[in-house]
Amino acid sequence: MGRVAGKLGRWALGLGALLWGAGRLWRWTGVGTLRRARSAQPGLGLVFEGGPDPQTTPALLAALKAAGAQATFCFEAGAIARAPALAQQAAAEGHDLRPFVPGGPLTPPWTLARLRQAQAGLTALTGQPPHAFRAAAGVPALWVALMAQQTGLRPIAGQGNLAQGRRPGALLHLSGTDPQVARALPAHLTDLQARGYEVRALSGLRHLRPDTLRDIPATALQLVDVIYDRLGRIRRIGGHASSLFRVGTAPYPLADITLPAPDQPAGLTLGRGQRVAEFHLDSARLVELAERPVAGRRVVTHSIHDLAAALRDDPDWQTLDAVFSISIFADVLGIYGFTVVDLPPAHRRRLTWWSRTLRRAYGVSDPEKAHTPRLAMIARTELLRRYGTRRSQ
């Protein structure tokens, strides 16, 4: 009997591990979920979880109204029944209403009935059936998938909060029942708008759609970027809706070069292997900006001002003599005063292959079109001379 029990226990553990792994994989891929908008527009979504709450919801609505911003409120079934007037007010003021499923790892099966109840309650209040729902972060992924399959609603996954993850298209999650969130919201809204973001409800975000299997390669590449940045101590700079660059340090990889420099009449000479700053471009954002070339030019200009400010103000980079980037956009940087250099054949072949891989992953329509990576470089003093004066968003 003990042998049978042990075997059943191992089977149970194996099945549990398999289900846990499948849930983690589904949550990572995001297939079928709403987690970011893909647009050149600088919009991001605020998603409030929980409520309506008589103490917190009115303050949240007042802050959003004062800022001229829209958001998405994910309400619980019981709270909707207790405070229907607050839910109606949120809808009347132009905000999206969606069902919310609270819980954690031991979320009970009858939560599905509560989701249906919230779905029906919001439909009755607004006359518009919701198309998506949000489950609390601790609800198991496979249970979220099952609820989505049973109700026909799309899960709202999201990718960040007000402390991190702020970028165009992101869905930022906040508590809808925490008074501290309500007190801090006006300052956060002011900061987001000063940085060029447009705070919108989900229905106002362009190209917000469920992730599909075709999005998995791009998701994987974004994970590669995260790991690469952590290993290389590379940081995002700027913090604006128009910020494209990540910056770290690296050895200059080519033969010696002399760059124009305002403080050196003979120019600045850099040797191979000398430590300088290197910046990387946000590939996903560049693909989105391809639909709006005029906006793309403005975003690049703003990002170069961000780069100059970072090299001027950050103590880690103030002593570096130059900054470079290797990409297929080097010729564009040449317009901004960068010196553009061809790469050796071996480097060029390897990076051309990587460029095509990126373009295929992000769904660019012409991945086979020739785009030759080159190196673009500028002396720190020349960068500061041209772009060292800060410009407002």
Side-chain angles (χ1 to χ4, degrees):
M1 188 68 178
R3 186 177 301 173
V4 173
K7 190 172 183 178
L8 289 175
R10 288 192 294 272
W11 272 100
L13 285 174
L15 179 61
L18 180 63
L19 293 174
W20 179 86
R24 294 287 293 182
L25 179 63
W26 177 72
R27 196 181 291 276
W28 174 75
T29 63
V31 172
T33 68
L34 300 171
R35 59 180 180 179
R36 69 178 297 261
R38 296 164 174 83
S39 172
Q41 301 288 344
L44 55 73
L46 293 188
V47 180
F48 293 99
E49 302 177 359
D53 180 83
Q55 303 301 317
T56 304
T57 305
L60 295 174
L61 291 173
L64 291 165
K65 186 174 184 179
Q70 303 296 318
T72 298
F73 286 86
C74 297
F75 288 151
E76 302 175 50
I80 294 170
R82 290 189 298 271
L86 279 177
Q88 288 177 324
Q89 179 186 348
E93 293 182 5
H95 305 292
D96 287 355
L97 305 189
R98 302 290 185 264
F100 178 63
V101 178
L106 301 179
T107 301
W110 55 82
T111 302
L112 176 60
R114 295 179 64 185
L115 174 58
R116 292 187 187 277
Q117 183 183 355
Q119 183 182 13
L122 293 178
T123 301
L125 282 173
T126 66
Q128 298 290 331
H131 303 294
F133 75 102
R134 171 65 178 170
V139 177
L142 290 182
W143 184 238
V144 175
L146 177 62
M147 289 190 289
Q149 190 273 331
Q150 290 294 311
T151 61
L153 301 175
R154 295 289 188 183
I156 302 170
Q159 289 186 308
N161 52 49
L162 286 173
Q164 59 183 2
R166 296 188 300 182
R167 55 188 306 178
L171 308 185
L172 307 182
H173 294 270
L174 302 90
S175 170
T177 59
D178 186 346
Q180 292 186 358
V181 172
R183 287 192 291 270
L185 185 60
H188 284 304
L189 291 173
T190 298
D191 180 58
L192 286 171
Q193 292 174 337
R195 293 176 180 274
Y197 288 101
E198 299 170 0
V199 180
R200 299 183 174 184
L202 296 186
S203 60
L205 290 174
R206 293 187 59 190
H207 302 305
L208 175 65
R209 59 167 177 78
D211 277 25
T212 67
L213 291 173
R214 289 180 297 177
D215 295 310
I216 292 178
T219 300
L221 287 174
Q222 289 168 14
L223 177 61
V224 170
D225 279 346
V226 170
I227 296 172
Y228 181 78
D229 288 355
R230 288 179 180 173
L231 293 176
R233 298 183 179 180
I234 297 165
R235 307 197 304 266
R236 288 190 176 275
I237 61 169
H240 299 89
S242 296
S243 298
L244 280 177
F245 298 158
R246 297 137 45 217
V247 177
T249 62
Y252 172 61
L254 303 183
D256 294 2
I257 188 172
T258 299
L259 302 172
D263 58 337
Q264 300 186 40
L268 170 68
T269 299
L270 295 173
R272 183 185 183 93
Q274 183 173 339
R275 205 75 182 174
V276 293
E278 180 182 16
F279 67 99
H280 308 264
L281 286 70
D282 186 330
S283 299
R285 185 73 175 133
L286 284 169
V287 170
E288 293 160 359
L289 288 166
E291 70 182 66
R292 298 178 65 202
V294 174
R297 176 68 184 268
R298 176 176 54 81
V299 167
V300 171
T301 300
H302 189 96
S303 297
I304 291 175
H305 281 276
D306 285 343
L307 179 64
L311 265 68
R312 182 192 63 206
D313 300 336
D314 194 301
D316 292 337
W317 300 328
Q318 286 177 343
T319 59
L320 302 176
D321 290 327
V323 57
F324 77 93
S325 178
I326 299 176
S327 77
I328 63 174
F329 301 100
D331 290 341
V332 175
L333 295 173
I335 299 172
Y336 292 88
F338 285 70
T339 298
V340 179
V341 181
D342 289 330
L343 297 172
H347 283 68
R348 186 169 61 249
R349 285 192 297 270
R350 183 176 71 253
L351 293 174
T352 297
W353 172 85
W354 179 243
S355 171
R356 287 177 178 169
T357 300
L358 288 173
R359 294 170 68 78
R360 288 192 182 97
Y362 287 110
V364 176
S365 59
D366 60 343
E368 297 301 330
K369 184 178 178 180
H371 292 277
T372 304
R374 304 175 77 191
L375 182 144
M377 192 169 199
I378 192 170
R380 176 180 177 275
T381 52
E382 178 67 7
L383 180 70
L384 296 185
R385 183 186 72 82
R386 289 171 174 261
Y387 307 106
T389 302
R390 286 187 183 275
R391 291 185 179 180
S392 59
Q393 177 69 27

